[in-house]
Amino acid sequence: MGPTTRARFVHNRRRRGPYAAPDDDDEEEDQQEASSSSSSSDEGEEDAEEEGSGEVDDDDGEAAEPSGKEEEVSPVAAAARSGRKASITISLKKVCKVCKSTGHEAGFKGAVYIDCPRKPCFLCKMPGSDTLHCHTTLTCPHRVAMEHGVIPASRRNTNTSLDYVFQSQVKGKIPMVKPQFLIPNQLECGNIKFHQRRVTCLEFHPTKNNVLLSGDKKGLLGVWDYVKLHEKITYDSVHSCILNSMKFDTTNDGLLYTASSDGTISSTDLDTGIGSSLLNLNPNGWNGPSTWRMIYGMDFNSDKGLLLVADSFGFLHLLDRRLKARIGDPILIHKKGSKVTSLHCNPAQPEVLLSSGNDHYARIWDTRKLEPNSAFASLAHGRVVNSGYFSPQSGNKILTTCQDNRIRVWDYIFGNLESPSREIVHSHDFNRHLTPFKAEWDPKDHTETVAVIGRYISENYNGIALHPIDFIDTSTGKLLAEVMDPDITTISPVNKLHPRDDILASGSSRSIFIWKPKTESDATEERNREKAKEFVYGSGSRKKSNGKHENSSDDDSDGSCDGKKKKKAKKTRFTHTIKGKGKSKV
């Protein structure tokens, strides 16, 4: 990124994809995955398609018997036999790179993607576009209006005496005007290439308002004071591979629990940098993918002092934070062998647990009576469930994100859970090498209706292909705002709203950004032009003499982790700062 802070990337022409601009994380590797085909598949559901058709020789290796006719030899084979170079033939026919047929083209034309007419709509997944002449992604009604086909939230009437008293005596004295929701749509500052690999999770400090914690694909933990910009610390020895989740101890805001794909749970003292292992599911090291356990879902039950973690084989583990030991045996909560993607304890009733998994289900449990097949409810989904969260204050609602481009909302957890109250079509179906998209509630919204999530399909904004961050009203499916900046052309799958301030933190590739609401001084175009966005270049921008990033690796296997950790994490400070000027068009 140069002095003008304009993000640059190189298109990979060898593998063109339908909807995503290349993500500059991991240069060759993650650019290709962000441009993957529209038929992207879930983990565990990936289909390998072999291109081309060639004749297969017999098993014994003997040549086929000659026929009466003379064998036809291709020009390439004839040239190889004669020892001369074969001529190259270039076809000018239009070939679709999605369905491989001729007569039409599909792909990007500038910043606009032209859909294949033979494939179903990538956004709403409606089949039969070839025979029934259904719409394509560009003309999908959900893309024009997200609330298309979404039934608004209905008013729940329980008809109890308590509700009658509330309606007649209390509700009349409460103002029904909903306070104005401030959208953090102004890019304030950023830490460019703070991480050496893509950002995988973000978390705000519970007591220090200006401190943001982030984890990346290599297991590095970063702590950044975004007000001071240059105040940042990295702990590169906490985990050996992907840092998937982190939670603060509610009784000690200096203690952080982290979960990783190396199969370990660690507690790190942020003041001293000393870490200790609470759980290691791979004590014997790497013995192949069939035995390697990874940890994605984790949450903290403050009432019981329990840490709940779930592995990639469908089992739930309970840890006592005081004893630093496991309690009981692992409990199977999802299909055996399937990955549990997320865990969330109900904020009002911490004993109620919500889990999401690769088996296409989100399930509700009572942690006091945990047994296999004892879930209160199993919420069916079409594909892999990336995440599931209770509403942040009352805990009465459920918000899930599924790989079928659907955000599902249940308005009442004690009501009918056989089908969701609402399904909102949104673009977040992605291929490999991107951090999964997860719709999260705004913790400050007392109405529990606002959610934030990044968008996968790029949109054309003044000739630039950008991937906005969407704010959605979950009660109606309406798009409240789309946040973007011309300096950020990569995808932002990781987003976190501040629990107290009107601030949004987003993780895009190896960089993290801070967004704030536009003020009155930024109302005019001239003042926007005068406002400077401040950027800091972090550890990921430092390179060795051989051109590779320090501690970087091209190995993308989730299971190929070292598993060895140091007790005392290494601290690295970088204080190089750069300021750049730019204009925000949001």
Side-chain angles (χ1 to χ4, degrees):
M1 183 170 289
T4 60
T5 71
R6 180 58 59 89
R8 297 183 176 93
F9 57 83
V10 180
H11 287 281
N12 191 319
R13 301 293 181 186
R14 293 176 296 175
R15 185 182 298 181
R16 294 178 63 93
Y19 306 109
D23 193 13
D24 66 358
D25 178 22
D26 306 336
E27 300 298 336
E28 301 176 358
E29 180 181 337
D30 285 356
Q31 285 182 14
Q32 293 178 2
E33 53 82 11
S35 301
S36 55
S37 70
S38 61
S39 59
S40 60
S41 56
D42 312 327
E43 284 191 47
E45 298 180 341
E46 301 172 16
D47 299 328
E49 180 179 349
E50 297 181 1
E51 298 181 2
S53 59
E55 294 183 342
V56 181
D57 294 335
D58 296 337
D59 292 339
D60 55 6
E62 296 179 1
E65 295 182 0
S67 61
K69 296 182 180 180
E70 185 178 355
E71 181 184 1
E72 294 184 3
V73 181
S74 66
V76 177
R81 292 178 181 178
S82 62
R84 58 186 175 83
K85 295 182 178 179
S87 59
I88 300 175
T89 303
I90 300 177
S91 176
L92 299 180
K93 291 183 179 180
K94 294 182 178 180
V95 179
C96 177
K97 296 185 178 180
V98 178
C99 67
K100 310 301 180 184
S101 61
T102 59
H104 66 277
E105 292 180 303
F108 277 104
K109 296 292 184 181
V112 178
Y113 178 76
I114 306 301
D115 212 337
C116 176
R118 297 180 179 273
K119 294 292 182 179
C121 174
F122 174 77
L123 183 57
C124 66
K125 309 295 185 183
M126 293 299 294
S129 59
D130 187 21
T131 58
L132 301 179
H133 304 288
C134 293
H135 64 268
T136 58
T137 306
L138 284 178
T139 59
C140 179
H142 293 279
R143 186 168 185 170
V144 178
M146 290 179 56
E147 63 271 21
H148 175 79
V150 177
I151 302 175
S154 58
R155 177 179 174 273
R156 184 177 62 89
N157 185 10
T158 58
N159 296 322
T160 64
S161 57
L162 182 60
D163 285 341
Y164 176 78
V165 173
F166 178 80
Q167 293 285 344
S168 61
Q169 298 183 9
V170 181
K171 189 175 179 180
K173 301 178 182 179
I174 300 177
M176 300 305 295
V177 178
K178 183 178 179 179
Q180 182 182 3
F181 180 73
L182 298 178
I183 302 293
N185 53 5
Q186 177 73 52
L187 181 58
E188 185 74 11
C189 59
N191 199 319
I192 308 302
K193 294 183 179 180
F194 179 37
H195 288 277
Q196 298 170 0
R197 302 299 286 270
R198 58 178 164 87
V199 177
T200 55
C201 57
L202 295 172
E203 192 73 30
F204 283 99
H205 197 280
T207 57
K208 300 177 182 178
N209 283 358
N210 303 327
V211 175
L212 176 68
L213 289 88
S214 56
D216 72 2
K217 182 180 175 181
K218 293 298 292 183
L220 183 142
L221 173 64
V223 183
W224 180 39
D225 189 333
Y226 52 83
V227 171
K228 299 179 181 179
L229 289 179
H230 62 277
E231 291 290 337
K232 47 188 177 290
I233 304 173
T234 59
Y235 302 91
D236 56 5
S237 301
V238 178
H239 293 285
S240 57
C241 61
I242 308 177
L243 201 161
N244 294 310
S245 179
M246 47 187 171
K247 297 290 180 183
F248 277 94
D249 192 321
T250 55
T251 60
N252 181 5
D253 60 5
L255 188 61
L256 181 72
Y257 301 108
T258 53
S260 171
S261 290
D262 60 12
T264 63
I265 299 293
S266 295
S267 62
T268 303
D269 191 327
L270 299 179
D271 296 328
T272 62
I274 298 177
S276 60
S277 178
L278 299 181
L279 177 66
N280 186 1
L281 298 181
N282 304 297
N284 299 324
W286 173 258
N287 293 313
S290 60
T291 59
W292 187 265
R293 293 177 180 264
M294 298 174 282
I295 300 177
Y296 288 83
M298 180 181 66
D299 203 2
F300 187 73
N301 186 330
S302 57
D303 288 357
K304 303 294 183 180
L306 293 177
L307 197 64
L308 298 89
V309 298
D311 60 25
S312 56
F313 282 56
F315 286 90
L316 175 70
H317 307 262
L318 302 180
L319 301 176
D320 191 320
R321 66 171 180 82
R322 292 162 293 188
L323 300 177
K324 297 183 179 181
R326 188 188 308 183
I327 300 176
D329 297 327
I331 303 167
L332 184 66
I333 61 173
H334 281 265
K335 182 180 178 181
K336 190 173 183 179
S338 65
K339 179 176 68 177
V340 181
T341 57
S342 72
L343 295 176
H344 189 220
C345 294
N346 192 296
Q349 306 174 70
E351 66 275 4
V352 179
L353 176 68
L354 176 64
S355 64
S356 307
N358 266 19
D359 59 354
H360 302 186
Y361 280 94
R363 292 188 167 94
I364 304 176
W365 306 85
D366 186 344
T367 56
R368 297 168 298 184
K369 302 177 182 179
L370 274 175
E371 294 179 358
N373 302 320
S374 63
F376 279 164
S378 295
L379 314 179
H381 291 70
R383 289 175 64 186
V384 168
V385 188
N386 292 343
S387 64
Y389 298 104
F390 290 110
S391 50
Q393 298 185 22
S394 69
N396 282 339
K397 298 181 179 181
I398 293 177
L399 176 70
T400 64
T401 308
C402 183
Q403 279 293 99
D404 60 0
N405 275 347
R406 297 294 193 276
I407 298 173
R408 291 174 172 83
V409 183
W410 282 262
D411 288 332
Y412 192 53
I413 61 173
F414 299 108
N416 184 10
L417 299 177
E418 293 183 0
S419 61
S421 306
R422 232 164 279 93
E423 286 189 5
I424 304 171
V425 177
H426 182 266
S427 172
H428 52 257
D429 180 15
F430 67 100
N431 208 310
R432 299 179 60 189
H433 310 300
L434 272 181
T435 304
F437 292 83
K438 299 178 181 180
E440 297 191 12
W441 300 99
D442 180 9
K444 303 179 300 298
D445 179 27
H446 72 275
T447 63
E448 300 180 331
T449 58
V450 179
V452 62
I453 185 174
R455 192 185 304 179
Y456 181 62
I457 296 180
S458 60
E459 303 289 349
N460 182 12
Y461 298 96
N462 298 327
I464 304 176
L466 301 179
H467 302 262
I469 302 170
D470 294 330
F471 285 81
I472 301 173
D473 186 344
T474 59
S475 64
T476 61
K478 184 178 180 180
L479 181 64
L480 297 176
E482 47 187 9
V483 174
M484 74 206 79
D485 190 275
D487 289 330
I488 306 177
T489 57
T490 49
I491 306 171
S492 303
V494 186
N495 301 279
K496 179 70 67 172
L497 285 167
H498 200 285
R500 295 171 297 277
D501 299 334
D502 294 318
I503 291 177
L504 168 68
S506 62
S508 183
S509 185
R510 290 175 282 170
S511 305
I512 49 181
F513 300 95
I514 297 296
W515 305 76
K516 293 184 178 181
K518 286 183 180 179
T519 59
E520 295 180 359
S521 60
D522 298 326
T524 63
E525 202 66 26
E526 295 180 356
R527 291 177 180 177
N528 275 338
R529 194 176 294 110
E530 293 174 357
K531 181 176 176 59
K533 290 175 287 187
E534 298 178 295
F535 296 91
V536 180
Y537 279 77
S539 60
S541 62
R542 292 179 43 154
K543 295 185 178 181
K544 291 184 178 180
S545 58
N546 60 4
K548 290 188 176 181
H549 294 281
E550 295 182 12
N551 298 328
S552 65
S553 171
D554 292 333
D555 186 6
D556 188 61
S557 174
D558 285 350
S560 56
C561 305
D562 192 349
K564 297 180 180 179
K565 309 187 303 301
K566 298 178 181 179
K567 289 296 182 181
K568 186 174 179 63
K570 178 182 177 182
K571 289 187 180 181
T572 308
R573 293 179 182 267
F574 302 93
T575 56
H576 176 59
T577 61
I578 284 184
K579 288 186 179 181
K581 294 183 178 180
K583 179 174 64 175
S584 176
K585 298 179 180 180
V586 295

